[in-house]
Amino acid sequence: MSFPPFLCFFSVFFFSFFPFSTPLPSSSPYLSPTILPQNYQKMVKSFKIYSYPPPETLSFDSKVESLFYSSLLHSNFITQNPEEAHLFFIPFAFNSDVSPRSAAYVVGDYRTNFIYWNRTLGADHFFLSCSGVGHGSDRNVVELKKNSVQVSCFPTTPGLFIPHKDVSLPPLVNVHAPAQGLSRKSSSHLGYVRYNWVKDSSLVEQLLADPEILVDSEPSDQLTYEERLAGSKFCLFEYGPEISAIGEAMSFGCVPVVITDRPIQDMPLMDLLTWQRIAVFVGTSGGAKEIKRVLGRVVVEEYEGMRESAAVASKHFVWNETPQPYDAFHMVMYQLWLRRHTIRYAEREWA
């Protein structure tokens, strides 16, 4: 007997920001700045998640996964009644060393001992995997990979993230801009590249030769780092592991420049933010000259709006030990809430 493929969540796009008395920048960072306030309140009041019993020990690959996990289990979203749950959480660490065979065993155990997986073929389930679950031929792995929502670290592993279904966690922000917010600034540098943000040696040499671009030749201390974030119009990142500092740049009003030759579909909060209003995306083929040309155009036409939008959006990158409204934890939950609509098959079909 063949079964319909996974199904269906639908996004409704989103929102205005935290204290709603705070005016949005003229160029809003949100896909839809008017919907979130009411939808967010609906989520907080009604969204319920059932967590399967966790193993005795659970160790994740990253701090951000652990923080999300502890925040979830201690939140009001958790219900002890699976019949009122919108989604089901699989409390298993799908670490990078977990084989497809082990993943299949985990899913098979839930399929055998609980009725909920079979009602949707896993489409109303989600799980944490920093690096992403690999592909496999076993039915349990296929359903986990194709149907369930994978919550991954950013940037995600190429080929192991399914856009519009999976969710990437906003990376931890280690430095924060002053609480009073941004003032209009005169920048010391057009662009800033922290040590290792750009790894292409040829591009680094070109950027080093440009007097308007500050490139760290060695790691800088935190105070120097913050001063350079605050004193630069743009922060340049080559898409890769170091782009996880993007939230730090945004909070200081340093507009991110993402250097990549491929479409990026795993940016944090993709369901909520219009990233083209927050960051500049440019390819590598034109080198530093093309990057400078693009930035020159942005400065003239869009810079102040992008800078304000980046600073506002950065508030959603903040992780708190005790979650606060509209912080990173709640925005990830909001994206999961958007994925709560699934087709549930009658239990008798699995007799």
Side-chain angles (χ1 to χ4, degrees), residues 46 79 82 111 115 122 125 145 155 167 185 204 217 229 273 279 302 305 314 317 327 330 335:
S46 64
T79 178
R111 183 193 295 278
I115 65 171
H125 288 56
K145 189 67 186 173
V167 172
K185 69 178 181 181
V204 169
S217 57
L229 290 177
L273 301 176
E302 305 172 77
S314 72
F317 281 66
D327 67 0
H330 281 97
Q335 291 186 102

Side-chain angles (χ1 to χ4, degrees), residues 13-328:
F13 295 118
F14 337 47
F15 66 117
S16 124
F17 182 45
F18 54 137
F20 295 108
S21 58
T22 302
L24 284 170
S26 56
S27 176
S28 168
Y30 304 113
L31 289 166
S32 178
T34 59
I35 296 176
L36 177 76
Q38 50 274 49
N39 274 359
Y40 181 87
Q41 293 305 319
K42 290 178 184 177
M43 177 197 73
V44 170
K45 292 178 181 178
S46 64
F47 191 31
K48 294 299 177 186
I49 291 171
Y50 178 77
S51 175
Y52 291 112
E56 289 185 10
T57 59
L58 197 56
S59 177
F60 293 102
D61 277 347
S62 66
K63 184 178 178 181
V64 70
E65 284 178 289
S66 298
L67 192 51
F68 175 82
Y69 177 70
S70 62
S71 298
L72 174 63
L73 292 194
H74 292 95
S75 74
N76 291 329
F77 297 116
I78 293 293
T79 178
Q80 301 305 315
N81 178 9
E83 294 303 326
E84 70 173 9
H86 299 95
L87 295 179
F88 294 79
F89 175 59
I90 302 173
F92 183 82
F94 290 93
N95 296 330
S96 54
D97 57 352
V98 172
S99 67
R101 182 175 181 179
S102 298
Y105 177 82
V106 171
V107 173
D109 191 48
Y110 288 125
R111 183 193 295 278
T112 301
N113 296 319
F114 299 89
I115 65 171
Y116 311 111
W117 182 277
N118 288 336
R119 296 192 307 190
T120 64
L121 308 183
D124 57 356
H125 288 56
F126 70 98
F127 62 95
L128 283 166
S129 178
C130 189
S131 56
V133 169
H135 300 275
S137 59
D138 185 278
R139 171 186 175 180
N140 292 321
V141 176
V142 171
E143 291 177 2
L144 180 72
K145 189 67 186 173
K146 292 180 63 178
N147 300 353
S148 302
V149 178
Q150 175 179 283
V151 180
S152 295
C153 297
F154 174 76
T156 61
T157 305
L160 299 184
F161 181 88
I162 301 177
H164 311 297
K165 176 183 75 71
D166 296 338
V167 172
S168 63
L169 295 167
L172 288 174
V173 174
N174 297 312
V175 298
H176 300 274
Q180 65 266 28
L182 298 176
S183 58
R184 199 175 185 92
K185 69 178 181 181
S186 58
S187 303
S188 303
H189 303 96
L190 175 65
Y192 171 52
V193 183
R194 197 183 193 193
Y195 182 74
N196 264 350
W197 278 1
V198 175
K199 297 184 182 298
D200 184 310
S201 58
S202 174
L203 182 56
V204 169
E205 288 181 11
Q206 295 174 45
L207 294 171
L208 278 167
D210 192 310
E212 292 189 280
I213 307 294
L214 174 62
V215 181
D216 283 345
S217 57
E218 59 185 23
S220 54
D221 59 64
Q222 182 167 317
L223 180 59
T224 301
Y225 175 46
E226 292 181 16
E227 290 174 347
R228 290 175 177 176
L229 290 177
S232 304
K233 288 183 182 294
F234 298 96
C235 285
L236 281 62
F237 300 89
E238 188 174 4
Y239 183 82
E242 301 304 325
I243 200 176
S244 60
I246 194 170
E248 298 171 0
M250 290 161 55
S251 73
F252 280 85
C254 191
V255 174
V257 178
V258 182
I259 303 168
T260 180
D261 290 319
R262 67 178 183 84
I264 297 179
Q265 298 179 301
D266 66 340
M267 295 295 286
L269 311 182
M270 284 282 285
D271 295 334
L272 315 178
L273 301 176
T274 304
W275 275 100
Q276 289 79 2
R277 297 176 186 168
I278 298 168
V280 178
F281 296 86
V282 62
T284 63
S285 59
K289 184 177 180 180
E290 174 64 10
I291 293 172
K292 281 285 296 293
R293 187 194 68 78
V294 172
L295 298 189
R297 177 188 59 77
V298 172
V299 167
V300 172
E301 300 176 5
E302 305 172 77
Y303 174 71
E304 282 301 326
M306 295 184 74
R307 175 175 169 265
E308 293 174 17
S309 292
V312 170
S314 72
K315 309 299 182 182
H316 305 308
F317 281 66
V318 177
W319 288 93
N320 297 292
E321 292 294 336
T322 300
Q324 302 298 315
Y326 297 93
D327 67 0

